[in-house]
Amino acid sequence: MQDTQPQTIFLKDYQVPDYLIDRTDLTFDLDPQATLVKSRLQVRRNPAADASGDLPPLWLDGVDLELLSVAVDGELLPAQRYSEQTDGLLLTVDKESFVLEVQTRIAPESNTSLEGLYLSNGMYCTQCEAEGFRKITFYPDRPDVMSVFTTTIVAPATYPVLLSNGNKIDSGTTEDGRLCVTWEDPFAKPSYLFALVAGDLQFVEDHFTTSSGRKVTLQLFTEPKNIGKTAHAMESLKKSMKWDEEVYGREYDLDIFMIVAVDHFNMGAMENKGLNIFNSACVLASPETATDAAFQRIEAIVAHEYFHNWSGNRVTCRDWFQLSLKEGFTVFRDAEFSADMNSRGVKRIEDVTLLRTAQFAEDAGPMSHPVRPDSYMEISNFYTLTVYEKGAEVVRMIHRLLGAEAFRRGSDLYFERHDGCAVTCEDFVAAMEDANGADLTLFRRWYSQGGTPVLDVEDKYDAEAQEYHLTIRQHTPDTPGQTDKQPLHMPIAVSLLGADGRELSLDQEASIERVLHLTEATQTFTFADIPERPLPSLLRGFSAPVKLRYRYTSDQLLFLMQYDTDSFNRWDASQRLAFEALEQLQRAYRAGGEMQAPEALLQGLSAVLENTQLDPALVAKMLTLPSPQELAEHGDAIDAQAIVAARVFVRDSIAKALASRFLKRYQSLDQRKPYQPVAEDIAERSLKNTCLSYLCATGSADALALAESQFMRKENMTDVAAALAALIEFGPADQAEEHLESFYQQWQQDTQVVETWFGLQAGSANYGTLGRVRELMSHPAFEFTNPNKVRAVVGGFAMRNFAQFHQEDGTGYEFLAEQVIALDKLNPQIAARIVTPLTRWRKYRTLEAEQIRSALQRVSDSGELSRDLYEVVSKALEN
Ligand code: B3K
Ligand code: ZN
């Protein structure tokens, strides 16, 4: 551990900045080992800061910089006027406003943290959010300091493309033949939105005419070999621009919008003003190389980053505790966009699955925090599912409570009131209230209170009075640092189904759904004029991010699977049945008893599979069992082997019982048509490949031949990858090797496909043994400095391969500890992410808990840890 513990930063300590920066002029003279950065800052005392006493010193953040000179108003500053510290520069100040010039030198080539300015395959690029700008130059690197930037880039002619934020205002050649380009961004922005790219890149260009008639140039830059994989992202961008005008009345503001694809990137993409930088895997696609899931992810991420231009850039965060202000809102916006472009019900199911599997686990783990955290050591650790996904649920609840039109009035007021400002979550809620005369006082607790609320629902039907009563009790468990939680305000969408499966009318207007406002710890809601005892369809569309408990019988769940018109709840009924069966089988496994086929589930799924009226994508989702990770989230004293055994048993029971139905559906869906990533076709492929997987699970030679033939036909990556996955999971090992080898031979030049190939193997329950994973790490295409490859192999094994990672000898845990220790030296952000499975040790039964904890302890004892990893590991050992 570190000699000095990293400091904790608290929201309650927030203070406005002492100085503002009106203009920032930067010049970069690019060199892999010695890039010269000159900055010229127009500094001014902040009128909003405390004006009593002498002028305070000026603090500039700076990390890993070589300071060359400091000058004020053109005069070099003597050494006694400033002091250089490990994390910045402190300057004494003697006037209210002045020009500060600082020269520094940095080495992008040695920067493996992928934060600040670094090289990816020889291309210069930047990542500044949250605190990466301080690795480029000394600067008040905080989001409430907003400045107008100009950026001049000088580079050898081998870097013909030189990009930064805003509009290009000058370009030329220096006397010694180097290229020189200047960009100006007229919109004041915080340093985290700064970007620079330099490389030998190609681009595709398109245009979008905004609703007010301005023509915007759209450019997408890639390495030359990838230029053929840009069409889908460009289409997605144009759709996003149109959608944001139609749904939120938001127009784009610059004359140009650029996207650049880079291979080495810590996350999905970054919304830098006018110059979005994307992880190649989240922007490049062609039918031959990308799966349907990748096409949909690209559409969503392109939209997400574009939407940030308003929710994030034009209106930004005051401090990083407010991160969900831009992320929660923008995730909500991109989810609604995706729902409008694709199948709304299926999108909701996917989002809730992520929330239940990973966010609920985070909420119940050692890093648990509210949507607006109160404190952090390293802000990079707070780009979490809670801030993003739960944050989006919080915005979705406001939308549900107020209604779509009122929500739009609120967002209009928010954008208008705060344009060009750095604001807080409180400002967002206040705009929603003020625009509508609404009261969200209690609702605000969602921002400050962590943990997943549990709702217990009971009902009573009074036949005589024709009244139906629903009593809801809510309780939020304690989380680290937070006890005695208060009740939350949340919308509970409810319908009541009659014996014929139709929704009963709930009022004079014959509404079939009512949104209950739950605000108290225990509350009873009464429905009048209910002629028969109804079956409740509760929390429709997952109207609040909670765990809802109601004692449904198996028959009632089968009924909901058949009749509920809310596709989310229809699916959820199938999941509840599956959960019940899986939990019972885990108990049987542990007790050494006999495992019984899950009859009710088989009956329900059989009917679903026969129903050709249902959206095939929804059928595929209903046929998909909860993941081991989701089962683990539900349990205490988790027995990993029991989870795996129960799940395999249920899967095989379904495969066997419904084999002929799977074959029938597979054959009817296996129609050759040209690939298109459109909702209808994606839905059909998803059901077809779900059927194929179950067919192969029986191990029958005919089924494996079907998979082989689909694999050989090479029609599109969705079908090829699904067939390959089935073949390696269920086919003979020697054939699996052959298929994997031929796949690699065909695609070895394509980075994204090679990542898929790595991920398929490492994530395979049958094939991804620890030995195999170690072999993959010595494969020539593996790169420890490339996060996508680390995520595919190490992450694939530790996060998506429950069966192998939790092998009883504990070697999986030791392996992960070893990788985390090595990664931390290169890329702390990735190390702190990939350690996550080890942080959940308390959830496991004694044997595994001890093994996992000891692996974590080994990380902790391994020497000085980065601040990122220290925070996660120390909290996990404590809590
Ligand atoms: N805002 C960035 C995330 C930056 C993460 C920094 N560690 C991408 C996004 O959410 O759009
Ligand atoms: Zn975002």
Side-chain angles (χ1 to χ4, degrees), residues 271 304 308 327 388:
E271 70 263 25
H304 179 98
H308 266 316
E327 295 305 348
Y388 276 66

Side-chain angles (χ1 to χ4, degrees), residues 115 127-131 192-193 265-271 301 304-305 308 320 323 326-327 330-331 378-381 383 388 829 833:
E115 202 191 19
Q127 171 53 37
C128 293
E129 187 177 2
E131 298 182 334
Y192 83 85
L193 289 172
F265 209 64
N266 281 349
M267 61 280 170
M270 177 64 211
E271 70 263 25
I301 300 183
H304 179 98
E305 305 311 330
H308 266 316
W320 292 120
L323 185 57
K326 74 177 178 81
E327 295 305 348
T330 305
V331 171
E378 170 52 60
I379 186 57
S380 298
N381 289 332
Y383 285 74
Y388 276 66
Q829 284 184 17
R833 290 273 148 148

